[in-house]
Amino acid sequence: QVQLVASGGGLVQPGGSLRLSCAASGNIFSINDMGWHRQAPGKQRELVATITSGGSTNYADSVKGRFTISRDNAKNTVYLQMNSLKPEDTAVYYCNAGGAEYRNDRNVRYGFDRWGQGTQVTVSS
């Protein structure tokens, strides 16, 4: 099965920056959209940003101009560069990817939609 592993979270002061990474591995045939979501304590999970295989991006209004999503298709990896961080950005960040995978026969493909394990981002002085 395709797996996603996220990394790069941590503690940062307001105004600081962090870069999250999420690498997909396994029997990947293709990856379509990749994205980041976040969930703060006591709140529902919300979309942060998405990127298509062609590089088109979409952002939540709350992060526009501060966060940048990008991907390296050769490495099956999606990144989230977070600048000018605010305390309200504190949350567990989850990556997500959808596409097609194969098992024993590369010619037989299955759709997948997977989530990474989450990485904690804390913005505090």
Side-chain angles (χ1 to χ4, degrees):
Q1 268 194 343
V2 173
Q3 294 184 326
L4 302 183
V5 177
S7 60
L11 172 64
V12 64
Q13 292 187 341
S17 297
L18 280 176
R19 188 191 194 209
L20 306 183
S21 300
C22 176
S25 63
N27 292 343
I28 299 168
F29 182 80
S30 63
I31 299 179
N32 301 325
D33 291 0
M34 303 183 84
W36 291 93
H37 293 67
R38 67 186 180 186
Q39 188 167 17
K43 295 188 177 181
Q44 289 188 332
R45 189 173 297 189
E46 63 175 1
L47 172 72
V48 176
T50 60
I51 184 167
T52 67
S53 57
S56 296
T57 58
N58 180 54
Y59 295 94
D61 288 343
S62 59
V63 307
K64 282 181 182 176
R66 300 188 298 121
F67 291 10
T68 302
I69 189 170
S70 61
R71 63 190 283 174
D72 184 333
N73 290 330
K75 295 181 179 180
N76 294 323
T77 299
V78 63
Y79 306 96
L80 186 68
Q81 178 65 45
M82 304 184 293
N83 299 329
S84 302
L85 282 160
K86 304 175 181 180
E88 52 263 43
D89 294 317
T90 295
V92 178
Y93 284 69
Y94 298 91
C95 58
N96 170 258
E101 63 184 340
Y102 61 95
R103 295 168 191 173
N104 297 320
D105 184 346
R106 187 178 172 86
N107 294 315
V108 180
R109 299 155 201 167
Y110 304 86
F112 73 86
D113 186 353
R114 300 276 151 71
W115 292 84
Q117 84 282 14
T119 184
Q120 176 71 46
V121 172
T122 302
V123 185
S124 175
S125 54

